[in-house]
Amino acid sequence: NAGVTQTPKFQVLKTGQSMTLQCAQDMNHNSMYWYRQDPGMGLRLIYYSASEGTTDKGEVPNGYNVSRLNKREFSLRLESAAPSQTSVYFCASSPRISGPYGRNQPQHFGDGTRLSIL
Amino acid sequence: GEDVEQSLFLSVREGDSSVINCTYTDSSSTYLYWYKQEPGAGLQLLTYIFSNMDMKQDQRLTVLLNKKDKHLSLRIADTQTGDSAIYFCAESNDNDMRFGAGTRLTVKP
């Protein structure tokens, strides 16, 4: 049982390049999330998708776009990468059992994508 | 905005108990969580507690919640070298989940 799978695991980009981070979950979860993790700052929510067909901004959405392709897949796109976006990116998912967005449910995380932008 | 705080580092000797502390400010929290992150990996949910509980025990892990003081702790009994990791406290209400910055636990043999 794979859980949450993120690809790629590592990536180096030049400033201005674009790329898409992929995430897929096989737990039939309704809600999916993208976070970034920076030293000493914990996790900050970039975007989330409460259910298939919906996406919403989190705490730090600027410079990113997302697509909830289907129930399993939620991708994060950097259109024009900047050095400030160097970070570790985590995708997570949760079942939507209660609460308007299901964000209060325990979240299951992928192993992360380590992204460096030069 | 609401905040979750925890100390950044904790060092213990193998076999001792570890206590990782966390404070939060959201008075409408419904769930409180502890996640473990090992090097190069994602966050693994260790345990969580509903806000109307004050204690939860799961094998070597004991979670204590003082809702009045908005203080959460994770006690690891008989700490092993394999427990070395970063531990994240998180709290949520119906709309948001917030994470602390993580406590790096180092277990010395």
Side-chain angles (χ1 to χ4, degrees):
Chain A
N1 201 356
V4 178
T5 302
Q6 291 184 234
T7 56
K9 294 191 184 306
F10 304 93
Q11 185 70 48
V12 178
L13 295 177
K14 294 181 180 178
T15 297
Q17 287 185 313
S18 62
M19 89 161 288
T20 299
L21 309 185
Q22 306 288 350
C23 174
Q25 52 92 8
D26 62 2
M27 295 173 284
N28 202 34
H29 285 171
N30 286 299
S31 303
M32 298 184 73
Y33 317 86
W34 276 105
Y35 292 91
R36 59 178 290 172
Q37 181 184 29
D38 300 294
M41 299 188 72
L43 276 75
R44 293 183 292 169
L45 183 67
I46 304 171
Y47 270 93
Y48 67 100
S49 170
S51 61
E52 186 179 356
T54 68
T55 61
D56 286 284
K57 294 179 180 179
E59 185 184 350
V60 289
N62 291 344
Y64 304 96
N65 284 301
V66 290
S67 295
R68 183 74 184 267
L69 304 170
N70 47 54
K71 191 171 185 179
R72 291 186 63 249
E73 298 172 288
F74 188 38
S75 62
L76 177 72
R77 183 160 178 84
L78 286 71
E79 290 290 352
S80 179
S84 62
Q85 295 177 304
T86 292
S87 187
V88 182
Y89 291 85
F90 287 99
C91 177
S93 69
S94 68
R96 187 182 174 189
I97 298 172
S98 64
Y101 305 111
R103 290 178 58 195
N104 59 346
Q105 298 302 304
Q107 296 180 16
H108 301 259
F109 285 80
D111 286 341
T113 295
R114 283 145 186 83
L115 183 61
S116 294
I117 298 157
L118 307 177
Chain B
E2 306 296 354
D3 206 8
V4 178
E5 294 192 355
Q6 43 185 138
S7 54
L8 294 181
F9 302 98
L10 176 65
S11 180
V12 300
R13 293 218 171 269
E14 190 174 17
D16 288 349
S17 292
S18 307
V19 179
I20 303 171
N21 294 301
C22 172
T23 58
Y24 60 97
T25 59
D26 183 6
S27 57
S28 64
S29 292
T30 50
Y31 295 81
L32 296 115
Y33 311 85
W34 284 105
Y35 284 88
K36 176 183 181 183
Q37 185 183 33
E38 297 185 30
L43 277 69
Q44 173 196 357
L45 179 66
L46 280 180
T47 186
Y48 65 100
I49 188 170
F50 295 102
S51 60
N52 61 357
M53 297 169 63
D54 53 18
M55 187 181 99
K56 182 178 180 181
Q57 188 153 4
D58 183 3
Q59 299 182 338
R60 292 190 298 122
L61 305 179
T62 303
V63 178
L64 295 177
L65 173 61
N66 181 329
K67 194 172 182 181
K68 174 176 169 292
D69 294 338
K70 298 189 182 68
H71 181 267
L72 183 74
S73 68
L74 174 69
R75 179 176 180 270
I76 305 173
D78 186 26
T79 313
Q80 303 298 307
T81 54
D83 295 323
S84 292
I86 301 176
Y87 291 82
F88 289 90
C89 168
E91 62 88 14
S92 68
N93 54 31
D94 278 352
N95 295 312
D96 281 312
M97 177 177 282
R98 280 164 291 275
F99 290 82
T103 298
R104 182 179 295 275
L105 174 64
T106 301
V107 182
K108 298 179 179 178

